[in-house]
Structures are given as structure tokens and as C-alpha cells.
Amino acid sequence: MPGTLYIVATPIGNLADMTDRARQILGQVAVVAAEDTRHTGQLLTSFGLSAPLIALHEHNEADRADALVARLVAGEDVALVSDAGTPLVSDPGYRLVAAAAAAGVRVVPVPGACAAIAALSVAGLPTDRFAFEGFLPPKTAARRVRLQALVAEPRTLVFYESPHRLKETLADLVHVFGGSRRAVVARELTKLHETVYRETLAALAQSAEQDANMLRGECVLVIEGAPASVDAGAGAQVDDALRRLAAYAPLGVVADVLADLTGLRRNALYDRALQWRRQADDEST
Ligand code: SAM
């Protein structure tokens, strides 16, 4: 009988979020594959556990996956953990899970903390449909290209971001999406300094300039999706009207007139016009 591969979530800050089941599984498997064996060793010790550990990170996953699948096929149980939260969510493990499943090994989730879901659950933005986008590219030009591809996305957007890049990313979000969307920065979730900032994108970008605390610790960004009136379908017609009218009048007037004619939200139209103009400016430079 092949063994079982357990995908085990660990806390994202607050150790009390470790589930009983996670503890039990980590205490019984033959080996725990961990992103950072020292970090996971300390976590296990704090729960009075001591399992054999093997490193599995983005640089060795391809090789290690084969060796671990061989052990699973031979009948050993293996657990996969990452440094924090749910493995495979912006963390290693995809290759291992795919290889294990292809080899006919049973893969079992042991769910628990996940920063993206924790942030979404307190953001106060629609959760019926959302898109997890992981980390944006670190460089501004590539980041703006990625954001441009998401500008008409109506689902709530969830991003992971490093505190060192938060200010620049918020500025780029305002540049590409406009400033009026509701947005949330959820930082240090489950930890002592947990703070949830709920503002418009423009206000968040301004807070990031003034509030050094906002740029400390880990954070998740949750952004309201594109207004229904500027979704992919309506976008082409609205853009066409905006383009033509903007040649004759200031954007504020254009937004007023189009809001009057179409019943669409004035702020959304203004933001869309601004995006379109900036896009045109970017393309011409
Ligand atoms: N697999 C993890 C999970 O399930 O959330 C995410 C791993 S990813 C490498 C790390 C990113 O998750 C951080 O840069 C940050 O964006 C987010 N994150 C992790 N812990 C967090 C926390 N306590 N509060 C806010 N964001 C957190």
C-alpha cells in the first residue's frame, strides 16, 4: 500500500491557530517536508513534536519531489508544510502534489490558516467571487502591465505584497485602477500588531506615504473589483465614448455627461477615462 501525502497548514503568526489534526499528523508521519527545516523544527518543538525533516523549497523541489514520491510509493506517510499558512499558496509544493497524484498516491489536505482567506474574511468587500493574484512583479513597469490586464476584472482581487514594496504598489494601483475603488491593507494578521486599513485606493496610497506603521510587517491587499459598468463587455463601448468625448472636454465633464446619458457611476467613468488617458500616455512614451 502506498503511503499518504498530507498537505498541512500551519499558523500565519498566532501559534494557537495550529489545529489538533495538524499536530497529530505531524507527530505520526515518517518525514515532514518543510520549506525551511530550521523554522519548522522550532514550530514542531513548540508543540512538543520531533519529526524527521527534509528541505523542500523552490530551488530543489523538482529533485526532492521524485525522492519523496518514491518513499510514498514504498508505503511511507509524508507531510508537507511551508513556513506559514497553507502550502502551495504562493509557496512550494505544486510539483510534489502533482507528482504524487500522478503516481496514484492519496493526497490529503489538513486545512488551517491562509493569509489570503483571513484578509478576505475581514476586508468587508464582496467575497462571493474573488481572484487570488499572489505576488505582483517587483518592478514597476511589469507590475503596471499585470495590473492593466486586471483593470476590468469584476471579482474582488487579493494580492500578497512585501512591506518594502507596498507604497509603490499602491501608487501603481491608483495609476492603473484609479483612486476611487474600495481597498484593504490587512497587516500582521493574527499577530500582536494586527491592523486592517479599509479606505479608497487613493486614501490608502496617501496613508502609506504618512503612516510608517502601515509599511511594517506582512500584509495582504484586497481590492474591490471593477464596477459592473466597466466590465469587459461594457468597457469597449464606454472606452469608445470616453475617447471621443475626451478630445473635446475635460475628463470631469466627460464623466458627468456619460453618467447622465448611461446611468453608470460617475466616479467609475472618471477613473476609466483617467486609466485610458494614462494608458495612451504610457504608450506614447
Ligand atoms: N502560504 C501562505 C498562506 O497560506 O498565506 C502565504 C505564503 S507567502 C510566501 C507570504 C505572504 O503572505 C506575505 O508576504 C504576506 O503577503 C502574506 N502573509 C503571510 N502571513 C501574513 C500575516 N500574518 N498577515 C498578513 N499577511 C500575511
Side-chain angles (χ1 to χ4, degrees):
M1 277 285 285
T4 299
L5 173 60
Y6 296 95
I7 309 302
V8 182
T10 56
I12 56 170
N14 191 326
L15 288 188
D17 290 335
M18 186 80 167
T19 67
D20 288 347
R21 186 162 169 245
R23 265 187 248 199
Q24 182 204 323
I25 299 285
L26 293 176
Q28 77 185 33
V29 292
V31 62
V32 175
E35 199 181 354
D36 176 340
T37 51
R38 226 181 55 165
H39 178 91
T40 298
Q42 286 166 356
L43 182 80
L44 293 182
T45 305
S46 69
F47 292 117
L49 301 169
S50 64
L53 292 162
I54 182 169
L56 182 135
H57 43 71
E58 58 174 324
H59 305 296
N60 71 0
E61 184 175 352
D63 294 339
R64 281 286 151 88
D66 289 345
L68 285 166
V69 169
R71 291 179 71 164
L72 284 156
V73 169
E76 287 186 311
D77 287 341
V78 175
L80 172 71
V81 299
S82 59
D83 283 354
T86 302
L88 280 84
V89 180
S90 293
D91 268 339
Y94 159 69
R95 286 191 189 86
L96 175 62
V97 169
V105 168
R106 190 167 161 241
V107 184
V108 170
V110 183
C114 173
I117 299 300
L120 193 64
S121 72
V122 295
L125 293 172
T127 52
D128 50 343
R129 295 172 70 216
F130 63 90
F132 174 65
E133 283 290 320
F135 287 96
L136 284 161
K139 299 243 169 72
T140 286
R143 190 160 53 221
R144 287 188 180 184
V145 168
R146 176 80 58 84
L147 290 175
Q148 195 62 52
L150 293 168
V151 80
E153 171 57 64
R155 292 174 294 179
T156 297
L157 295 165
V158 184
F159 300 98
Y160 284 156
E161 191 48 285
S162 138
H164 314 295
R165 286 196 290 266
L166 183 60
K167 211 176 354 177
E168 288 73 20
T169 294
L170 284 168
D172 284 345
L173 278 159
V174 171
H175 181 88
V176 179
F177 288 2
S180 66
R181 289 199 203 181
R182 291 179 294 160
V184 170
V185 171
R187 65 175 281 270
E188 294 289 88
L189 292 171
T190 78
K191 303 185 201 174
L192 184 63
H193 297 293
E194 175 180 284
T195 323
V196 179
Y197 302 81
R198 298 180 188 85
E199 301 182 69
T200 61
L201 268 178
L204 276 179
Q206 201 176 10
S207 302
E209 294 288 339
Q210 293 158 354
D211 178 358
N213 278 334
M214 193 172 167
L215 309 179
R216 291 200 182 102
E218 299 185 286
C219 69
V220 181
L221 264 167
V222 188
I223 318 285
E224 181 180 27
S229 53
V230 192
D231 66 13
Q237 284 171 337
V238 172
D239 277 352
D240 191 39
L242 287 172
R243 258 191 207 95
R244 288 163 185 238
L245 289 170
Y248 302 103
L251 295 190
V253 177
V254 173
D256 282 341
V257 172
L258 270 179
D260 237 24
L261 289 174
T262 62
L264 301 176
R265 282 204 297 131
R266 191 233 177 237
N267 281 357
L269 287 164
Y270 184 85
D271 280 350
R272 186 66 180 146
L274 206 58
Q275 285 156 20
W276 170 77
R277 180 171 281 179
R278 283 175 174 156
Q279 197 183 343
D281 288 350
D282 284 352
E283 277 161 14
S284 69
T285 53

